[in-house]
Amino acid sequence: MDKKMGDLPLNINIQEPRWDQSTFLGRARHFFTVTDPRNLLLSGKQLEASRNIVQNYRAGVVTPGLTEDQLWRAKYVYDSAFHPDTGEKVVLIGRMSAQVPMNMTITGCMLTFYRKTPTMVFWQWVNQSFNAIVNYSNRSGDAPITVQQLGTAYVSATTGAVATALGLKSLTKHLPPLVGRFVPFAAVAAANCINIPLMRQRELQVGIPVTDEAGQRLGHSVTAAKQGIFQVVVSRIGMAIPAMAIPPVIMNTLEKKDFLKRRPWLGAPLQVGLVGFCLVFATPLCCALFPQRSSIHVTRLEPELRAQIQAQNPSIDVVYYNKGL
């Protein structure tokens, strides 16, 4: 129930998500809100209003007449458009709320124009350019990405995606047409395995911060970084599976029917629509596969860090880290 004007307490923790992140359902509800494409339609004025509500509340000032539901709504609008570490407004297509419409268009086109080599190369390049913007926009403030690292990751992932697509395309020439439709998915999966570790290479060199349950920093761990990056790669590939595996099977059947043979121009919009429907569910559900604040057992950490933690805090068995997106 909404709380009235004077009743809104200052102890609501809007640093954390609204729903319990230890359960899959809680994480799914959180990411359905974060990836809601309707947030892209909000005006600059509405974004600024949400930012003021959140910043004032954190400073101990409650906006008059504010209800708890309105506070949470403002928090999620603010989070959808502003970088959590720098506070800068994120470029429109780099926001999490742009994931579904952008991926829907790009994936739909990758699946539609896979037969001709030039269009296939073009859409793989568009996809990796979009990935580079998303990865840069959602980078961690603790491990900033240099322009050189960004360039290396971008070129490597694009090359990897195009090489995989071209290699598989030549291999599938003599196989059934349905097999050829899965070439774009294999290329995207390969590119994710290259792109994400490269974008986060600094974390693999110096480690990511690990904390105790209360959030007290205990040190940096490369092992935790590897586990976090692996989880993100699995989530990203999982996101692509429904959108890139279900529409090709449906389209393969539909294209044999007279309806589409007489109206070939309907193929691309139909494919994009099918991909969009899959992504609306796959994006938040795959983001929710692993907790954002993941944990790792102290015994699995590097020997020096393990010894340091056991010497200073012998009661700690598990440490926590932010896995990224």
Side-chain angles (χ1 to χ4, degrees):
M1 214 175 82
D2 287 351
K3 290 185 168 70
K4 297 287 181 292
M5 179 178 151
D7 301 338
L8 196 63
L10 282 166
N11 62 356
I12 300 167
N13 186 5
I14 56 169
Q15 298 289 95
E16 295 291 324
R18 186 172 192 176
W19 298 281
D20 179 8
Q21 296 299 285
S22 65
T23 68
F24 177 74
L25 190 64
R27 295 195 295 272
R29 289 183 75 180
H30 167 69
F31 281 110
F32 266 106
T33 312
V34 168
T35 60
D36 187 342
R38 290 174 300 178
N39 286 338
L40 293 175
L41 305 173
L42 298 170
S43 66
K45 198 175 169 186
Q46 286 170 302
L47 294 177
E48 283 303 323
S50 292
R51 173 153 76 169
N52 290 338
I53 288 171
V54 169
Q55 289 181 341
N56 286 345
Y57 187 82
R58 283 175 182 162
V61 180
V62 179
T63 307
L66 188 72
T67 65
E68 188 172 340
D69 280 348
Q70 286 168 341
L71 174 66
W72 281 111
R73 172 73 187 138
K75 174 228 170 11
Y76 274 104
V77 166
Y78 173 75
D79 286 354
S80 80
F82 296 93
H83 191 278
D85 298 317
T86 64
E88 294 167 6
K89 193 184 281 188
V90 175
V91 62
L92 196 72
I93 62 169
R95 297 177 194 170
M96 285 306 283
S97 44
Q99 282 282 302
V100 172
M102 288 300 296
N103 275 325
M104 170 175 120
T105 310
I106 295 168
T107 307
C109 290
M110 280 197 291
L111 293 175
T112 305
F113 305 113
Y114 71 95
R115 290 186 179 96
K116 291 194 172 75
T117 302
T119 52
M120 184 183 72
V121 170
F122 173 75
W123 284 107
Q124 288 291 343
W125 168 74
V126 169
N127 187 43
Q128 291 313 317
S129 303
F130 171 63
N131 280 347
I133 293 168
V134 170
N135 289 333
Y136 181 73
S137 302
N138 296 286
R139 68 199 182 281
S140 164
D142 258 355
I145 306 168
T146 66
V147 175
Q148 189 184 355
Q149 288 171 333
L150 193 70
T152 308
Y154 172 57
V155 172
S156 307
T158 307
T159 309
V162 171
T164 308
L166 291 174
L168 288 173
K169 190 172 187 287
S170 62
L171 287 174
T172 56
K173 269 179 189 164
H174 310 295
L175 294 170
L178 183 59
V179 178
R181 287 179 180 270
F182 289 100
V183 167
F185 168 65
V188 166
N192 273 330
C193 295
I194 300 166
N195 197 340
I196 296 164
L198 276 171
M199 280 288 175
R200 296 174 63 175
Q201 58 185 295
R202 191 165 179 270
E203 295 173 30
L204 293 169
Q205 290 158 2
V206 300
I208 54 173
V210 293
T211 67
D212 60 16
E213 203 166 359
Q216 202 66 38
R217 196 173 282 199
L218 302 168
H220 285 73
S221 167
V222 171
T223 309
K226 286 177 185 170
Q227 182 174 297
I229 289 168
F230 173 75
Q231 289 175 343
V232 171
V233 170
V234 169
S235 294
R236 293 275 187 99
I237 293 173
M239 253 178 241
I241 289 173
M244 299 191 86
I246 297 168
V249 176
I250 296 170
M251 290 304 293
N252 201 52
T253 310
L254 289 179
E255 281 177 10
K256 291 171 186 166
K257 305 268 188 266
D258 287 342
F259 180 76
L260 266 189
K261 278 181 182 169
R262 286 200 301 269
R263 302 169 185 81
W265 54 270
L266 263 177
L270 196 57
Q271 183 110 261
V272 170
L274 283 168
V275 167
F277 180 75
C278 293
L279 282 173
V280 164
F281 298 99
T283 303
L285 293 176
C286 288
C287 280
L289 283 176
F290 305 101
Q292 189 62 38
R293 188 180 183 228
S294 283
S295 59
I296 186 169
H297 210 275
V298 171
T299 54
R300 291 184 53 208
L301 296 172
E302 298 88 321
E304 318 84 70
L305 181 61
R306 185 171 63 226
Q308 181 190 317
I309 291 170
Q310 285 171 342
Q312 293 172 0
N313 312 79
S315 60
I316 293 177
D317 293 323
V318 175
V319 293
Y320 299 88
Y321 62 91
N322 178 4
K323 74 170 172 66
L325 284 171

PDB file of all heavy atoms in Angstrom, residues 6 23 45 54 64 80 87 94 97 101 126 129 153 157-159 179 194 206-207 238 263 267 279 310:
ATOM      1  N   GLY A   6       3.805  12.441   4.780  1.00  0.00           N
ATOM      2  CA  GLY A   6       4.732  12.520   5.904  1.00  0.00           C
ATOM      3  C   GLY A   6       5.256  11.172   6.360  1.00  0.00           C
ATOM      4  O   GLY A   6       6.141  11.103   7.194  1.00  0.00           O
ATOM      5  N   THR A  23      16.492 -15.063  -5.081  1.00  0.00           N
ATOM      6  CA  THR A  23      15.606 -15.997  -5.793  1.00  0.00           C
ATOM      7  C   THR A  23      15.565 -15.641  -7.275  1.00  0.00           C
ATOM      8  O   THR A  23      15.693 -14.470  -7.642  1.00  0.00           O
ATOM      9  CB  THR A  23      14.165 -15.935  -5.235  1.00  0.00           C
ATOM     10  OG1 THR A  23      13.598 -14.647  -5.584  1.00  0.00           O
ATOM     11  CG2 THR A  23      14.135 -16.104  -3.728  1.00  0.00           C
ATOM     12  N   LYS A  45      12.850  15.643 -19.538  1.00  0.00           N
ATOM     13  CA  LYS A  45      12.267  16.268 -18.345  1.00  0.00           C
ATOM     14  C   LYS A  45      11.871  15.204 -17.315  1.00  0.00           C
ATOM     15  O   LYS A  45      12.109  15.356 -16.110  1.00  0.00           O
ATOM     16  CB  LYS A  45      11.033  17.074 -18.784  1.00  0.00           C
ATOM     17  CG  LYS A  45      10.568  18.115 -17.785  1.00  0.00           C
ATOM     18  CD  LYS A  45       9.428  18.935 -18.376  1.00  0.00           C
ATOM     19  CE  LYS A  45       8.779  19.781 -17.302  1.00  0.00           C
ATOM     20  NZ  LYS A  45       7.584  20.483 -17.814  1.00  0.00           N
ATOM     21  N   VAL A  54      15.455  10.684  -6.710  1.00  0.00           N
ATOM     22  CA  VAL A  54      16.406   9.697  -6.177  1.00  0.00           C
ATOM     23  C   VAL A  54      17.536  10.391  -5.415  1.00  0.00           C
ATOM     24  O   VAL A  54      17.872  10.015  -4.287  1.00  0.00           O
ATOM     25  CB  VAL A  54      16.967   8.819  -7.323  1.00  0.00           C
ATOM     26  CG1 VAL A  54      18.138   7.980  -6.840  1.00  0.00           C
ATOM     27  CG2 VAL A  54      15.871   7.917  -7.885  1.00  0.00           C
ATOM     28  N   PRO A  64       7.841  16.191  -1.420  1.00  0.00           N
ATOM     29  CA  PRO A  64       6.485  16.236  -0.826  1.00  0.00           C
ATOM     30  C   PRO A  64       5.476  15.397  -1.621  1.00  0.00           C
ATOM     31  O   PRO A  64       5.446  15.435  -2.847  1.00  0.00           O
ATOM     32  CB  PRO A  64       6.118  17.726  -0.901  1.00  0.00           C
ATOM     33  CG  PRO A  64       7.427  18.437  -0.950  1.00  0.00           C
ATOM     34  CD  PRO A  64       8.377  17.526  -1.672  1.00  0.00           C
ATOM     35  N   SER A  80      17.715   3.258 -15.392  1.00  0.00           N
ATOM     36  CA  SER A  80      17.629   2.857 -16.802  1.00  0.00           C
ATOM     37  C   SER A  80      18.373   3.823 -17.722  1.00  0.00           C
ATOM     38  O   SER A  80      18.725   3.473 -18.836  1.00  0.00           O
ATOM     39  CB  SER A  80      16.161   2.762 -17.240  1.00  0.00           C
ATOM     40  OG  SER A  80      15.641   4.044 -17.526  1.00  0.00           O
ATOM     41  N   GLY A  87      27.341   8.673 -13.127  1.00  0.00           N
ATOM     42  CA  GLY A  87      26.175   9.559 -13.071  1.00  0.00           C
ATOM     43  C   GLY A  87      25.836  10.194 -14.408  1.00  0.00           C
ATOM     44  O   GLY A  87      24.893  10.977 -14.518  1.00  0.00           O
ATOM     45  N   GLY A  94      22.613   2.583 -25.861  1.00  0.00           N
ATOM     46  CA  GLY A  94      23.452   1.829 -24.932  1.00  0.00           C
ATOM     47  C   GLY A  94      22.727   1.419 -23.660  1.00  0.00           C
ATOM     48  O   GLY A  94      23.261   0.686 -22.832  1.00  0.00           O
ATOM     49  N   SER A  97      17.286  -0.681 -21.510  1.00  0.00           N
ATOM     50  CA  SER A  97      15.922  -0.662 -22.049  1.00  0.00           C
ATOM     51  C   SER A  97      15.916  -0.681 -23.583  1.00  0.00           C
ATOM     52  O   SER A  97      14.873  -0.907 -24.199  1.00  0.00           O
ATOM     53  CB  SER A  97      15.162   0.562 -21.522  1.00  0.00           C
ATOM     54  OG  SER A  97      15.960   1.724 -21.580  1.00  0.00           O
ATOM     55  N   PRO A 101      14.410  -3.694 -28.378  1.00  0.00           N
ATOM     56  CA  PRO A 101      14.166  -3.164 -29.731  1.00  0.00           C
ATOM     57  C   PRO A 101      15.378  -3.221 -30.651  1.00  0.00           C
ATOM     58  O   PRO A 101      15.250  -3.529 -31.841  1.00  0.00           O
ATOM     59  CB  PRO A 101      13.716  -1.718 -29.485  1.00  0.00           C
ATOM     60  CG  PRO A 101      13.959  -1.426 -28.057  1.00  0.00           C
ATOM     61  CD  PRO A 101      14.074  -2.712 -27.336  1.00  0.00           C
ATOM     62  N   VAL A 126      27.260  -4.750 -37.864  1.00  0.00           N
ATOM     63  CA  VAL A 126      26.306  -3.884 -37.147  1.00  0.00           C
ATOM     64  C   VAL A 126      26.108  -4.412 -35.724  1.00  0.00           C
ATOM     65  O   VAL A 126      26.120  -3.653 -34.753  1.00  0.00           O
ATOM     66  CB  VAL A 126      24.947  -3.807 -37.899  1.00  0.00           C
ATOM     67  CG1 VAL A 126      23.883  -3.142 -37.024  1.00  0.00           C
ATOM     68  CG2 VAL A 126      25.087  -3.044 -39.207  1.00  0.00           C
ATOM     69  N   SER A 129      29.111  -3.719 -33.541  1.00  0.00           N
ATOM     70  CA  SER A 129      29.199  -2.271 -33.263  1.00  0.00           C
ATOM     71  C   SER A 129      28.229  -1.919 -32.134  1.00  0.00           C
ATOM     72  O   SER A 129      28.567  -1.171 -31.213  1.00  0.00           O
ATOM     73  CB  SER A 129      28.855  -1.452 -34.512  1.00  0.00           C
ATOM     74  OG  SER A 129      29.712  -1.802 -35.567  1.00  0.00           O
ATOM     75  N   ALA A 153      38.909  -4.973 -28.609  1.00  0.00           N
ATOM     76  CA  ALA A 153      37.775  -5.888 -28.394  1.00  0.00           C
ATOM     77  C   ALA A 153      36.804  -5.823 -29.573  1.00  0.00           C
ATOM     78  O   ALA A 153      36.313  -6.849 -30.044  1.00  0.00           O
ATOM     79  CB  ALA A 153      37.058  -5.533 -27.097  1.00  0.00           C
ATOM     80  N   ALA A 157      36.211  -9.034 -31.907  1.00  0.00           N
ATOM     81  CA  ALA A 157      34.882  -9.662 -31.888  1.00  0.00           C
ATOM     82  C   ALA A 157      34.246  -9.631 -33.272  1.00  0.00           C
ATOM     83  O   ALA A 157      33.631 -10.607 -33.708  1.00  0.00           O
ATOM     84  CB  ALA A 157      33.985  -8.958 -30.882  1.00  0.00           C
ATOM     85  N   THR A 158      34.403  -8.504 -33.974  1.00  0.00           N
ATOM     86  CA  THR A 158      33.834  -8.396 -35.330  1.00  0.00           C
ATOM     87  C   THR A 158      34.502  -9.402 -36.255  1.00  0.00           C
ATOM     88  O   THR A 158      33.836 -10.121 -37.011  1.00  0.00           O
ATOM     89  CB  THR A 158      34.006  -6.959 -35.868  1.00  0.00           C
ATOM     90  OG1 THR A 158      33.478  -6.046 -34.903  1.00  0.00           O
ATOM     91  CG2 THR A 158      33.279  -6.769 -37.187  1.00  0.00           C
ATOM     92  N   THR A 159      35.842  -9.475 -36.179  1.00  0.00           N
ATOM     93  CA  THR A 159      36.586 -10.432 -37.010  1.00  0.00           C
ATOM     94  C   THR A 159      36.158 -11.860 -36.679  1.00  0.00           C
ATOM     95  O   THR A 159      35.915 -12.672 -37.576  1.00  0.00           O
ATOM     96  CB  THR A 159      38.117 -10.277 -36.769  1.00  0.00           C
ATOM     97  OG1 THR A 159      38.447  -8.902 -36.923  1.00  0.00           O
ATOM     98  CG2 THR A 159      38.928 -11.101 -37.746  1.00  0.00           C
ATOM     99  N   VAL A 179      19.752 -25.927 -41.604  1.00  0.00           N
ATOM    100  CA  VAL A 179      21.049 -25.849 -40.904  1.00  0.00           C
ATOM    101  C   VAL A 179      21.697 -24.493 -41.165  1.00  0.00           C
ATOM    102  O   VAL A 179      22.248 -23.856 -40.260  1.00  0.00           O
ATOM    103  CB  VAL A 179      21.986 -27.011 -41.342  1.00  0.00           C
ATOM    104  CG1 VAL A 179      23.337 -26.898 -40.639  1.00  0.00           C
ATOM    105  CG2 VAL A 179      21.341 -28.361 -41.036  1.00  0.00           C
ATOM    106  N   ILE A 194      34.456 -13.984 -27.427  1.00  0.00           N
ATOM    107  CA  ILE A 194      35.652 -13.159 -27.682  1.00  0.00           C
ATOM    108  C   ILE A 194      35.460 -11.771 -27.062  1.00  0.00           C
ATOM    109  O   ILE A 194      36.332 -11.247 -26.366  1.00  0.00           O
ATOM    110  CB  ILE A 194      35.889 -13.002 -29.212  1.00  0.00           C
ATOM    111  CG1 ILE A 194      36.105 -14.362 -29.875  1.00  0.00           C
ATOM    112  CG2 ILE A 194      37.073 -12.076 -29.487  1.00  0.00           C
ATOM    113  CD1 ILE A 194      36.006 -14.328 -31.399  1.00  0.00           C
ATOM    114  N   VAL A 206      43.895  -7.488 -13.202  1.00  0.00           N
ATOM    115  CA  VAL A 206      44.054  -7.017 -11.817  1.00  0.00           C
ATOM    116  C   VAL A 206      43.004  -7.580 -10.856  1.00  0.00           C
ATOM    117  O   VAL A 206      43.100  -7.399  -9.650  1.00  0.00           O
ATOM    118  CB  VAL A 206      44.044  -5.461 -11.746  1.00  0.00           C
ATOM    119  CG1 VAL A 206      45.169  -4.873 -12.558  1.00  0.00           C
ATOM    120  CG2 VAL A 206      42.710  -4.891 -12.214  1.00  0.00           C
ATOM    121  N   GLY A 207      41.979  -8.264 -11.401  1.00  0.00           N
ATOM    122  CA  GLY A 207      40.927  -8.830 -10.554  1.00  0.00           C
ATOM    123  C   GLY A 207      39.786  -7.848 -10.337  1.00  0.00           C
ATOM    124  O   GLY A 207      39.861  -6.684 -10.717  1.00  0.00           O
ATOM    125  N   GLY A 238      22.628 -17.460 -23.808  1.00  0.00           N
ATOM    126  CA  GLY A 238      21.272 -17.913 -23.467  1.00  0.00           C
ATOM    127  C   GLY A 238      20.211 -16.965 -23.989  1.00  0.00           C
ATOM    128  O   GLY A 238      19.159 -17.386 -24.485  1.00  0.00           O
ATOM    129  N   ARG A 263       3.848 -13.367 -51.019  1.00  0.00           N
ATOM    130  CA  ARG A 263       4.176 -12.083 -50.366  1.00  0.00           C
ATOM    131  C   ARG A 263       5.568 -12.172 -49.728  1.00  0.00           C
ATOM    132  O   ARG A 263       5.697 -12.103 -48.506  1.00  0.00           O
ATOM    133  CB  ARG A 263       3.138 -11.760 -49.281  1.00  0.00           C
ATOM    134  CG  ARG A 263       1.710 -11.678 -49.787  1.00  0.00           C
ATOM    135  CD  ARG A 263       0.726 -11.624 -48.621  1.00  0.00           C
ATOM    136  NE  ARG A 263      -0.657 -11.663 -49.071  1.00  0.00           N
ATOM    137  CZ  ARG A 263      -1.304 -12.799 -49.412  1.00  0.00           C
ATOM    138  NH1 ARG A 263      -0.679 -13.977 -49.348  1.00  0.00           N
ATOM    139  NH2 ARG A 263      -2.563 -12.749 -49.799  1.00  0.00           N
ATOM    140  N   GLY A 267       8.449 -11.487 -45.229  1.00  0.00           N
ATOM    141  CA  GLY A 267       9.432 -12.327 -44.518  1.00  0.00           C
ATOM    142  C   GLY A 267      10.203 -11.586 -43.443  1.00  0.00           C
ATOM    143  O   GLY A 267      10.242 -12.013 -42.281  1.00  0.00           O
ATOM    144  N   LEU A 279      12.695 -12.150 -27.498  1.00  0.00           N
ATOM    145  CA  LEU A 279      13.629 -11.345 -26.701  1.00  0.00           C
ATOM    146  C   LEU A 279      12.978 -10.671 -25.500  1.00  0.00           C
ATOM    147  O   LEU A 279      13.631 -10.474 -24.481  1.00  0.00           O
ATOM    148  CB  LEU A 279      14.282 -10.272 -27.578  1.00  0.00           C
ATOM    149  CG  LEU A 279      15.421 -10.735 -28.494  1.00  0.00           C
ATOM    150  CD1 LEU A 279      15.839  -9.619 -29.422  1.00  0.00           C
ATOM    151  CD2 LEU A 279      16.626 -11.208 -27.689  1.00  0.00           C
ATOM    152  N   GLN A 310      41.825 -15.338   5.437  1.00  0.00           N
ATOM    153  CA  GLN A 310      41.778 -16.271   6.581  1.00  0.00           C
ATOM    154  C   GLN A 310      42.530 -15.731   7.793  1.00  0.00           C
ATOM    155  O   GLN A 310      42.170 -16.003   8.932  1.00  0.00           O
ATOM    156  CB  GLN A 310      42.314 -17.639   6.144  1.00  0.00           C
ATOM    157  CG  GLN A 310      41.297 -18.398   5.279  1.00  0.00           C
ATOM    158  CD  GLN A 310      41.856 -19.654   4.646  1.00  0.00           C
ATOM    159  OE1 GLN A 310      43.074 -19.838   4.550  1.00  0.00           O
ATOM    160  NE2 GLN A 310      40.965 -20.541   4.188  1.00  0.00           N
TER     161      GLN A 310
END
